[in-house]
């Protein structure tokens, strides 16, 4: 990181100095640390991040895993879905997140169209993200359908996180409905999760699935399961950061929780500044050079 302050140590907390959140660790979190947390039965938080400064705040707060999600399409780049996001967008923003952090494991998404052609294309995209952005792992959507891609990337030494349930890159097929409802769909979800694990994935994201199904997947896998809209019984939770702080405009999904109203606070600050400029109160003497 060049201009931003170095990340502080994670907050003291819990009895375990090795805890992913609240432990004493200062080096980068690895996929092995996540595997050990699953063995210990420890729950942990993940957030998205799309820029160096926000990422540095979350890193200083001790969030152990940051996802440079293709949700940047909706939350950062002004698109109405993740579909238009390219590997050029992803590589540039993932590199910024890596530069802004010193402890969190940074996971970068493989964007729509960057891995669906097959394992060779997938490996090329994953390699680019590791070499040019410096991420520690990549995420791709799909279980059984992305098996050859996952196997090839893992065999090349790049950790893969799989994303199942509602997979936003398939919005034109799936819409925004809860996935894995009904016996057949639940069994397919479990098969997909096991397929991802067998292919070497180090973790699975489950998005918008019934809590009971997510709990069963979590029990069935030895790798960590990260839920978003998947109830309380997964090993970890992820939220899109702009949803989490109330910056996202319009309607947000029911499964997100807003911990502050940043949209209101930013708007208030902008209006206060504008009024002081218009009224002549800013800049004052202390902001002025002679
Ligand atoms: O792109 C993203 O932010 C994601 C999370 C919703 C898991 O994939």
């Amino acid at each position: 990181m060049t201009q931003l302050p170095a990340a502080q140590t994670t907050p003291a907390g819990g009895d375990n100095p090795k805890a992913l959140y609240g432990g004493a660790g200062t080096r980068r979190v690895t996929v092995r640390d996540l595997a050990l947390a699953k063995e210990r039965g420890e729950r942990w938080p993940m957030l998205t991040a799309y820029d160096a400064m926000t990422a540095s705040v979350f890193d200083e707060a001790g969030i152990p895993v940051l996802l440079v999600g293709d949700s940047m399409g909706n939350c950062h780049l002004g698109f109405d879905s993740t579909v238009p996001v390219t590997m050029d967008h992803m590589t540039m923003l993932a590199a910024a997140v890596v530069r802004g952090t010193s402890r969190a494991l940074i996971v970068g998404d493989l964007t729509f169209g960057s891995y669906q052609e097959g394992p060779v294309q997938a490996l090329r995209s994953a390699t680019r993200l590791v070499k040019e952005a410096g991420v520690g792992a990549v995420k791709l959507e799909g279980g059984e359908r992305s098996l050859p891609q996952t196997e090839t990337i893992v065999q090349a030494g790049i950790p893969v996180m799989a994303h199942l349930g509602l997979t936003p890159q398939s919005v034109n097929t799936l819409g925004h409905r809860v996935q894995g409802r009904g016996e057949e769909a639940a069994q397919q979800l479990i098969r997909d999760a096991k397929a991802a694990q067998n292919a070497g994935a180090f973790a699975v994201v489950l998005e918008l699935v019934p809590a009971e199904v997510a709990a069963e997947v979590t029990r069935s896998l030895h790798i960590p399961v990260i839920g978003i809209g998947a109830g309380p019984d997964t090993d970890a939770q992820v939220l899109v950061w702009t949803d989490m702080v109330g910056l996202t405009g319009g309607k947000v999904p029911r499964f997100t929780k807003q911990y502050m109203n940043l949209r209101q606070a930013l708007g208030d600050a902008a209006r206060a500044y504008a009024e002081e400029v218009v009224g002549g109160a800013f800049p004052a003497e202390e902001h002025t050079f002679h």
Side-chain angles (χ1 to χ4, degrees), residues 42 59 70 86 108 110 118 214 258:
E42 180 191 329
D59 202 40
D70 59 2
T86 66
L110 296 189
Q258 295 188 348

Side-chain angles (χ1 to χ4, degrees), residues 105-230:
L105 170 68
I106 310 302
V107 183
D109 260 341
L110 296 189
T111 60
F112 181 59
S114 77
Y115 63 96
Q116 283 86 351
E117 283 173 30
V120 173
Q121 188 206 24
L123 180 56
R124 194 179 308 122
S125 302
T127 306
R128 178 178 179 198
L129 211 45
V130 172
K131 283 176 90 96
E132 293 181 30
V135 300
V138 300
K139 176 164 81 58
L140 53 73
E141 296 187 359
E144 287 185 335
R145 71 180 154 98
S146 300
L147 214 57
Q149 286 91 332
T150 302
E151 274 171 354
T152 302
I153 299 170
V154 170
Q155 276 163 20
I158 300 173
V160 173
M161 178 182 280
H163 186 152
L164 305 173
L166 182 81
T167 46
Q169 292 175 9
S170 305
V171 64
N172 293 320
T173 316
L174 300 178
H176 286 105
R177 284 194 321 273
V178 175
Q179 302 295 304
R181 271 207 176 123
E183 189 50 29
E184 202 181 313
Q187 287 310 321
Q188 181 59 49
L189 197 63
I190 294 167
R191 274 198 299 280
D192 276 328
K194 286 190 171 161
Q197 174 175 271
N198 293 341
F202 73 91
V204 169
V205 169
L206 284 185
E207 179 165 356
L208 206 54
V209 304
E212 299 72 21
V213 179
E216 187 170 346
V217 172
T218 306
R219 276 193 302 273
S220 315
L221 298 193
H222 61 255
I223 58 175
V225 175
I226 306 152
I228 175 163

Side-chain angles (χ1 to χ4, degrees), residues 46-58 66-78 82 85 88-101 106-109 139 228 238-245 247-248:
M46 171 163 121
L47 280 173
T48 65
Y50 317 112
D51 70 277
M53 207 169 285
T54 313
S56 76
V57 173
F58 298 154
L66 294 177
L67 170 67
V68 191
D70 59 2
S71 51
M72 68 172 65
N74 318 58
C75 304
H76 197 73
L77 298 174
T82 64
V85 178
D88 285 346
H89 296 131
M90 179 57 64
T91 305
M92 188 175 79
L93 301 194
V97 169
V98 171
R99 284 193 294 272
T101 55
I106 310 302
V107 183
D109 260 341
K139 176 164 81 58
I228 175 163
V238 56
L239 283 179
V240 168
W241 86 264
T242 52
D243 294 346
M244 190 267 299
V245 298
L247 182 58
T248 308

